[in-house]
Amino acid sequence: MPAKDRYHNAVRHALEADGWTITDDPLPLRVGTRDLYVDLGAERLLAAERGSEKIAVEIKTFGGVSPIASLEQALGQFVLYSDALELLEPERLLFLAVPESVKEFLAEPIGQLLLNKRRLRVLVFSVEKERILQWLPEKS
């Protein structure tokens, strides 16, 4: 199993504070003979007649050589995990969790390009407060 990201517990606590129940830590996905592990699986009950909402969350710090290199790696992982989830758990949406320090980078044209084309779903969190600050694009 992969090592936990340094912000793993902060994201877990932020999700729980937002009403999510952590169902998997990590969320295992098996595609053929290969095992993948998304950092967290979570579920939140909706109104009785609507059932529940399920998500998977991959945590990224963007602490690499450059923000672009970090984005390229995160985007590749996001695509791979999204495709695996579509096959194995199509009801579950994948989100990339990033600390609020990355929000400024995502506001740049390169980040907006990906968000506007809905290539990424992002959860921005506060490391210090362990709270979700924003869902990008905005959740309905």
Side-chain angles (χ1 to χ4, degrees):
M1 272 209 253
K4 290 184 179 182
D5 183 273
R6 69 180 168 174
Y7 296 139
H8 185 92
N9 289 332
V11 173
R12 183 182 175 120
H13 296 153
L15 286 165
E16 290 170 335
D18 199 47
W20 294 91
T21 299
I22 303 302
T23 57
D24 300 274
D25 184 358
L27 173 65
L29 301 172
R30 179 163 267 227
V31 180
T33 60
R34 301 292 179 175
D35 292 321
L36 304 172
Y37 296 94
V38 182
D39 290 323
L40 296 167
E43 183 174 0
R44 178 167 59 181
L45 293 177
L46 301 172
E49 64 276 358
R50 292 185 56 206
S52 66
E53 181 178 16
K54 294 181 179 183
I55 62 172
V57 178
E58 183 60 24
I59 304 161
K60 292 295 172 201
T61 62
F62 276 65
V65 176
S66 75
I68 292 296
S70 294
L71 180 62
E72 289 170 342
Q73 182 194 5
L75 183 58
Q77 200 169 11
F78 187 89
V79 169
L80 178 62
Y81 289 176
S82 290
D83 289 351
L85 281 167
E86 186 177 320
L87 177 69
L88 301 169
E89 295 193 37
E91 73 285 357
R92 196 180 292 269
L93 286 179
L94 179 64
F95 285 86
L96 191 68
V98 299
E100 61 188 317
S101 60
V102 177
K103 187 176 176 185
E104 188 175 309
F105 173 67
L106 293 175
E108 292 179 16
I110 193 82
Q112 289 300 298
L113 176 68
L114 294 171
L115 291 169
N116 291 339
K117 291 203 167 266
R118 301 211 181 263
R119 300 264 194 256
L120 287 175
R121 284 181 295 277
V122 177
L123 174 167
V124 179
F125 67 95
S126 166
V127 175
E128 296 80 25
K129 296 178 184 173
E130 296 186 340
R131 294 291 182 265
I132 296 171
L133 302 176
Q134 192 172 16
W135 299 87
L136 299 170
E138 297 293 333
K139 278 173 81 349
S140 51

